[in-house]
């Protein structure tokens, strides 16, 4: 299965390697946003190994180096295009030539601006990379837009704000659709597209039907009931179309056709966002202070027995992590101890019974100073597993999770309807030892199980739990995700066309609920997914024409822009069977859970498909509850948007205006004027400033392009570069 991380890394390296100037060496120019994307898949040393002498920021003061060509990897903003033009205007020649690579597609307007500028004679080529997304795991991508949760679900603050709020949301969704398209382009896929249309609630947030966002009503037609929808005219259809403007529909039909893709949003399965999960990755991110799903700080015991704080990165490069992250915690600990004991026997010559518990592992790790790398990995996961189990016991998660699972599945572990839920809940809600966030999770799941509760019952639950007003707001905010929280005596259950299927597999009692996404993917693969809930955009598989394998036309020699991406490529000679699996892309607007990420991996194996999952961001139950607390406020006080959604644009902006604002970066302040050089006292002397030697540690090192200097100099210079650091910001 092709890894997203490997794909992105390869495309960046191919771009850098494609530039081979006569003098061998080249300069890489980046901005702060493209540099972050590069750093997510490449180390600085990997870049410098590609005959790159220095990495410069386009927003810093850069000395002209007209003897070297430069590779620009930039976001396609108006600002950056103007900076490129300035590099070769008004008698300035920053580099010998410029090879332009843009992370996203460069607009035709900016392309024309470049082609007609003074920089044009120096431009060696231009290519769009379509790499503006974050490959966070081999099968997982993120847009890193946690603020989208508020844009999608926060209700407009007033009737006058509906139009501006909707325009703002549509800007974000258009941007998101282009990032999703980038994933499909990078993987050379052209999938069919299905999107989620909920049957049990109207569009949410700024997409809620409102007079301010409706087009002008059509003229009255007394006999309209006899006319078809088509015959009634475009004006009538446009007026009524807002009733079906669900968030998953909006990014599903971009200007460029795309590949096999299912688009849904967080409101499809709110239950999964509250549950305590007990597989390793999901549990650790829920209970431990892991930053952005990757950075974890723990106490590490050194070879001399001292303890020091160590920050570890959880990534696909850690083979221990990738092997156990989707296992149930009990299985993960067993696997961890078995691998540790095997490692001890293979490498340390250990004789004995081996580690029987996490504490045994901790004691034995202290005696392995010679195996530093593997010792650190085992120590990291030992600490994480131990912390998770300590929290599990301290927070009474056995009792909490039992109630959660009964509410989520509607069944007890014995398969019966739970009849004593309230009796189980109340002691937990009354407990002062239970954290309020766990009480919010219990109450929210109970409200969903009951499909709303009477207002007085909800007030009593809040009173038992002693919830703060903010915690009560989190529970009440469920209404903005399409759920009913208040129920009258005559209200009937709301019928949903999309329901979770009960699992028949042997399972852990505290892990009985499977995310609704599991049902969606299984039904889609087995052709059982209701087209009324997940309709296709344009073509469906039965109506789709066969993809053309005709090669794309070669680019014109007069154009700087490389050819457009090919959506389908003919199979490579000798490609293995694993490359022929059908791919399935899933995108969840408004946040995805670690349980959904896990299911995508597991279903890839059980369904024999390559499944890739992505979202606006990855969320944990803690962060979800924090966001619900301020959902009514438009995100004010949240981690993602401390100041809220912010002032909305007074007019509808062009996409380029929105993009320029999103990737705005400041130019550096002007350089201070240099003092005047003293004139020489003697006449006729020709004093020239000495060039700064490349070995000087205060300057950006430039590796000489003359091979006569010898390999020893090159090796010393490379070591200096590694130690000194070459990102000039």
């Amino acid at each position: 299965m092709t890894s997203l991380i490997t794909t992105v890394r390869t495309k960046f390296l191919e771009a850098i390697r494609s530039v081979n100037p006569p003098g061998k060496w080249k300069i890489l120019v980046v901005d702060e946003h493209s540099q972050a994307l590069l750093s997510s898949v490449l180390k600085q040393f990997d870049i410098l190994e590609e005959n790159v002498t220095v990495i410069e920021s386009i927003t810093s003061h850069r000395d002209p180096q007209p003897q070297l060509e430069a590779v620009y990897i930039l976001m396609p903003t108006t600002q950056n295009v103007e900076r490129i033009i300035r590099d070769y205007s008004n008698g300035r020649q920053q580099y010998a030539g410029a090879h332009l690579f843009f992370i996203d597609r460069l607009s035709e307007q900016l392309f024309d601006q470049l082609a007609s500028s003074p920089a044009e004679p120096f431009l060696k080529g231009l290519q769009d990379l379509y790499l503006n997304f974050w490959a966070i795991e081999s099968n997982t991508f993120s847009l890193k837009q946690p603020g989208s949760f508020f844009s999608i679900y926060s209700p407009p603050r007033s009737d006058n704000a509906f139009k501006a709020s909707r325009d703002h949301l549509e800007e974000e969704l258009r941007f998101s659709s282009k990032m999703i398209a980038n994933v499909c382009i990078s993987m050379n896929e052209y999938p069919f597209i299905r999107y989620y249309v909920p049957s049990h609630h109207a569009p949410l947030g700024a997409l809620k039907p409102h007079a301010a966002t409706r087009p002008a009503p059509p003229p009255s037609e007394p006999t309209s009931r006899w006319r078809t929808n088509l015959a009634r005219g475009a004006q009538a259809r446009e007026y009524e179309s807002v009733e079906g403007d669900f968030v998953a529909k909006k990014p599903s039909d971009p200007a460029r056709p795309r590949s096999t893709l299912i688009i849904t949003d967080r409101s499809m399965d709110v239950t999964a966002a509250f549950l305590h999960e007990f597989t390793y990755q999901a549990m650790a991110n829920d209970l431990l202070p892991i930053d952005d799903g990757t950075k974890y700080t723990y106490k590490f015991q050194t070879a001399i027995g001292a303890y020091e704080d160590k920050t570890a990165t959880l990534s696909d490069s850690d083979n221990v992590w990738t092997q156990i992250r989707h296992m149930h915690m009990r299985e993960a600990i067993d696997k961890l101890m078995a691998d540790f004991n095997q490692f001890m026997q293979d490498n340390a010559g250990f004789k004995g019974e081996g580690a029987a518990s996490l504490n045994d592992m901790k004691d034995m790790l202290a005696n392995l100073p010679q195996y530093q790398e593997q010792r650190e990995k085992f120590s990291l996961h030992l600490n994480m597993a131990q912390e998770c189990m300590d929290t599990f016991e301290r927070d009474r998660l056995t009792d909490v999770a039992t109630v959660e699972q009964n509410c989520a599945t509607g069944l007890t572990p014995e398969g019966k309807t739970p009849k004593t839920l309230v009796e189980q809940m109340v002691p937990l809600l009354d407990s002062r030892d239970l954290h309020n966030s766990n009480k919010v999770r219990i109450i929210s799941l109970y409200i969903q199980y009951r499909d709303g509760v009477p207002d007085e019952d909800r007030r009593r639950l809040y009173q038992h739990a002693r919830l703060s007003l903010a915690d009560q707001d989190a529970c009440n905010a469920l209404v903005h995700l399409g759920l009913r929280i208040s129920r009258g005596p005559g209200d009937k259950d709301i019928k949903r066309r999309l329901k979770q299927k009960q699992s028949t597999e042997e399972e852990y009692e505290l892990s009985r609920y499977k995310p609704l996404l599991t049902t969606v993917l299984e039904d889609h693969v087995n052709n059982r997914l209701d087209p009324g809930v997940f309709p296709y955009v344009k073509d469906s598989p039965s109506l789709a024409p066969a993809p053309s394998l005709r090669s794309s036309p070669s680019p014109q020699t007069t154009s700087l822009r490389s050819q457009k991406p090919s959506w389908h490529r003919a199979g490579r000679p000798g490609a293995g069977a694993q490359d022929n699996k059908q791919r399935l892309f899933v995108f969840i607007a408004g946040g995805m859970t670690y349980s959904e990420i896990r299911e995508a991996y597991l279903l890839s194996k059980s369904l024999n498909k390559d499944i890739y999952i992505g979202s606006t961001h990855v969320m944990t139950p803690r962060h979800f509850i924090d966001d619900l607390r301020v959902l009514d406020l438009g995100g004010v006080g949240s981690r993602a948007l401390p100041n809220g959604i912010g002032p909305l644009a007074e007019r509808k902006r062009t996409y380029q205006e929105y993009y320029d604002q999103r990737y705005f970066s400041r130019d550096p302040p002007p350089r201070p004027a240099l003092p005047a050089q003293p004139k020489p006292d003697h006449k006729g002397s020709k004093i020239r400033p000495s060039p700064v030697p490349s070995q000087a540690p205060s300057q950006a090192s430039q590796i000489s392009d003359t091979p006569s200097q010898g390999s020893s100099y090159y090796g010393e210079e490379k070591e200096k570069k590694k130690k000194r650091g070459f990102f000039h910001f």
Side-chain angles (χ1 to χ4, degrees):
M1 184 171 181
T2 305
S3 164
L4 284 171
I5 295 175
T6 303
T7 298
V8 174
R9 179 190 295 123
T10 300
K11 288 183 179 293
F12 274 130
L13 286 175
E14 285 176 350
I16 298 171
R17 288 168 180 165
S18 68
V19 177
N20 295 294
K24 184 179 179 182
W25 307 109
K26 56 206 172 194
I27 292 172
L28 178 61
V29 182
V30 296
D31 61 41
E32 61 182 273
H33 306 290
S34 64
Q35 187 264 335
L37 287 165
L38 272 166
S39 299
S40 69
V41 294
L42 286 170
K43 295 180 180 178
Q44 180 179 321
F45 179 73
D46 298 329
I47 298 173
L48 297 176
E49 282 288 281
E50 302 301 328
N51 299 326
V52 173
T53 65
V54 65
I55 303 172
E56 296 186 327
S57 169
I58 198 169
T59 58
S60 65
H61 291 297
R62 292 166 290 136
D63 293 326
Q65 303 194 56
Q67 76 279 12
L68 292 173
E69 294 186 8
V71 178
Y72 290 77
I73 298 182
L74 304 170
M75 311 305 293
T77 63
T78 303
Q79 256 190 320
N80 281 340
V81 168
E82 291 172 349
R83 287 164 177 154
I84 294 169
I85 294 173
R86 284 202 302 268
D87 280 353
Y88 304 94
S89 300
N90 301 321
R92 178 184 177 89
Q93 183 183 346
Q94 184 68 34
Y95 307 109
H99 303 262
L100 306 182
F101 296 90
F102 289 105
I103 298 292
D104 272 318
R105 180 170 174 80
L106 183 72
S107 71
E108 291 301 320
Q109 181 181 356
L110 292 180
F111 175 75
D112 292 340
Q113 186 178 340
L114 271 173
S116 60
S117 72
E120 193 273 340
F122 300 94
L123 304 184
K124 304 290 187 179
L126 186 154
Q127 183 179 343
D128 303 316
L129 296 177
Y130 301 98
L131 292 177
N132 191 16
F133 62 91
W134 301 85
I136 56 177
E137 289 182 10
S138 60
N139 297 32
T140 310
F141 66 94
S142 172
L143 310 189
K144 294 200 174 181
Q145 295 175 226
S148 292
F149 180 80
F150 303 104
S151 301
I152 295 171
Y153 299 115
S154 285
R157 304 298 295 275
S158 66
D159 286 346
N160 295 332
F162 259 90
K163 180 68 169 62
S165 297
R166 185 184 177 105
D167 288 346
H168 173 76
L169 174 58
E170 289 184 342
E171 282 181 339
E172 286 204 0
L173 294 180
R174 185 181 180 190
F175 174 75
S176 299
S177 71
K178 291 182 181 292
M179 296 183 80
I180 299 169
N182 287 342
V183 177
C184 298
I185 293 170
S186 298
M187 300 299 288
N188 296 312
E189 286 291 339
Y190 183 57
F192 301 106
I193 303 173
R194 305 185 77 167
Y195 62 94
Y196 175 54
V197 179
S199 59
H200 59 285
H201 65 77
L204 305 170
L207 295 179
K208 182 179 179 181
H210 189 270
T213 57
R214 281 188 186 274
S220 59
E221 300 180 29
T223 59
S224 63
R225 68 190 183 93
W226 299 108
R227 304 180 66 188
T228 65
N229 190 40
L230 181 64
R232 293 180 60 222
Q235 190 176 4
R237 294 195 300 275
E238 182 184 8
Y239 179 75
E240 294 167 357
S241 68
V242 296
E243 302 288 348
D245 276 348
F246 294 95
V247 69
K249 176 183 176 183
K250 294 306 241 179
S252 60
D253 191 11
R256 182 184 298 106
R258 299 179 302 204
S259 154
T260 311
L261 177 65
I262 293 178
I263 299 178
T264 183
D265 73 282
R266 185 67 269 150
S267 68
M268 183 184 81
D269 185 3
V270 182
T271 298
F274 283 110
L275 288 173
H276 280 92
E277 288 283 343
F278 300 112
T279 48
Y280 186 50
Q281 182 185 37
M283 186 178 184
N285 277 278
D286 186 6
L287 304 183
L288 305 183
I290 300 177
D291 183 25
D292 198 27
T294 58
K295 301 291 185 184
Y296 176 65
T297 302
Y298 67 104
K299 295 289 185 182
F300 176 72
Q301 189 174 11
T302 65
I304 61 173
Y307 284 90
E308 60 183 33
D309 286 338
K310 187 173 184 65
T311 299
T313 300
L314 303 170
S315 70
D316 282 25
S317 61
D318 181 350
N319 62 319
V320 176
W321 170 247
T322 55
Q323 288 174 13
I324 67 174
R325 63 186 171 191
H326 299 139
M327 291 182 178
H328 189 277
M329 180 58 80
R330 177 179 173 181
E331 297 169 358
I333 291 174
D334 290 344
K335 168 76 172 167
L336 199 59
M337 288 196 296
D339 288 352
F340 174 75
N341 288 330
Q342 186 64 46
F343 171 77
M344 290 286 289
Q345 291 180 6
D346 293 344
N347 297 282
F350 178 78
K351 304 296 182 184
E353 297 181 358
S357 67
L358 293 178
N359 286 328
D360 288 348
M361 279 185 64
K362 194 172 184 179
D363 294 338
M364 295 165 71
L365 276 171
N367 299 316
L368 295 175
Q370 67 272 38
Y371 301 103
Q372 183 69 13
E373 182 180 355
Q374 199 65 18
R375 179 170 173 263
E376 287 184 4
K377 288 181 181 179
F378 280 124
S379 180
L380 163 66
H381 297 293
L382 164 66
N383 274 273
M384 289 176 58
Q386 187 72 63
E387 286 294 318
C388 285
M389 295 313 298
D390 290 347
T391 304
F392 180 85
E393 298 292 339
R394 183 180 65 249
D395 291 354
R396 300 171 57 189
L397 293 189
T398 300
D399 298 332
V400 171
T402 299
V403 173
E404 290 179 353
Q405 290 293 318
N406 290 350
C407 290
T409 62
L411 296 171
T412 64
E414 295 74 31
K416 299 179 181 179
T417 301
K419 297 181 179 180
T420 59
L421 262 179
V422 174
E423 288 81 354
Q424 290 176 288
M425 286 169 50
V426 169
L428 294 172
L429 299 179
D430 285 338
S431 172
R432 294 184 179 274
D433 297 330
L434 210 62
H435 197 278
N436 266 19
S437 63
N438 286 337
K439 297 179 181 181
V440 170
R441 291 160 83 156
I442 291 173
I443 293 174
S444 298
L445 289 166
Y446 179 71
I447 290 173
Q448 293 179 70
Y449 166 67
R450 293 292 304 273
D451 202 359
V453 297
D455 290 343
E456 179 59 23
D457 288 357
R458 195 167 78 255
R459 186 190 66 79
R460 287 176 179 171
L461 290 173
Y462 294 165
Q463 193 173 29
H464 274 288
R466 292 181 294 279
L467 294 187
S468 66
L469 291 178
D471 289 331
Q472 295 179 36
D473 289 341
C475 297
N476 295 336
L478 294 176
V479 71
H480 300 312
L481 277 79
L483 299 172
R484 183 170 66 182
I485 64 170
S486 182
R487 184 168 184 163
D491 290 340
K492 297 181 179 179
D493 287 346
I494 298 174
K495 293 184 178 179
R496 291 171 171 79
R497 294 167 66 179
L498 186 63
K499 297 180 180 179
Q500 187 209 32
K501 293 182 176 63
Q502 297 300 326
S503 175
T504 57
E505 301 174 3
E506 185 178 349
E507 53 199 8
Y508 291 94
E509 288 186 4
L510 302 184
S511 302
R512 287 174 282 135
Y513 182 85
K514 300 297 181 188
L516 198 53
L517 182 64
T518 305
T519 300
V520 170
L521 295 179
E522 289 177 341
D523 284 357
H524 168 78
V525 170
N526 295 314
N527 297 317
R528 295 196 305 259
L529 188 58
D530 187 347
V533 180
F534 276 93
Y536 283 92
V537 174
K538 296 181 180 177
D539 297 330
S540 61
S542 58
L543 303 176
S548 172
L549 298 180
R550 185 174 57 192
S551 60
S552 302
S554 58
Q556 298 180 2
T557 55
T558 56
S559 174
L560 290 170
R561 185 190 290 280
S562 297
Q563 66 187 54
K564 293 182 179 179
S566 58
W567 290 88
H568 269 302
R569 291 181 181 172
R572 300 190 303 276
Q578 68 269 19
D579 291 336
N580 297 326
K581 285 185 183 178
Q582 186 180 12
R583 286 172 173 167
L584 185 57
F585 295 88
V586 181
F587 183 79
I588 305 174
M592 62 183 168
T593 66
Y594 283 101
S595 60
E596 289 162 335
I597 294 174
R598 176 196 68 224
E599 291 301 302
Y601 280 87
L602 299 180
L603 289 172
S604 291
K605 297 178 181 177
S606 63
L607 299 177
N608 197 31
K609 306 288 182 185
D610 286 349
I611 300 177
Y612 297 89
I613 185 170
S615 177
T616 49
H617 61 295
V618 185
M619 64 195 310
T620 65
R622 281 202 320 273
H623 296 155
F624 183 57
I625 292 171
D626 288 344
D627 288 347
L628 287 177
R629 289 185 177 112
V630 293
L631 187 58
D632 259 319
L633 305 177
V636 175
S638 65
R639 284 162 38 103
L641 298 175
N643 298 321
I645 294 175
L648 301 174
E650 296 180 358
R651 61 175 179 85
K652 202 163 187 175
R653 298 177 291 184
T654 66
Y655 180 73
Q656 189 64 51
E657 288 174 327
Y658 169 82
Y659 194 92
D660 287 345
Q661 182 185 20
R662 187 174 193 91
Y663 291 112
F664 174 81
S665 54
R666 296 186 181 278
D667 284 320
R671 273 180 169 169
L674 295 175
Q677 295 291 332
K679 294 183 179 180
D681 294 336
H682 54 282
K683 296 181 180 180
S685 64
K686 297 180 180 180
I687 300 177
R688 298 176 62 190
S690 300
V692 178
S694 60
Q695 299 96 315
S698 61
Q699 295 292 328
S701 178
Q702 298 173 12
I703 302 173
S704 172
D705 57 357
T706 56
S708 60
Q709 289 186 346
S711 59
S712 61
Y713 166 75
Y714 171 74
E716 292 170 2
E717 192 62 25
K718 190 165 65 173
E719 284 302 314
K720 289 179 182 178
K721 287 195 302 182
K722 286 194 291 184
K723 292 178 181 178
R724 219 166 30 238
F726 272 70
F727 287 113
H728 292 172
F729 291 96

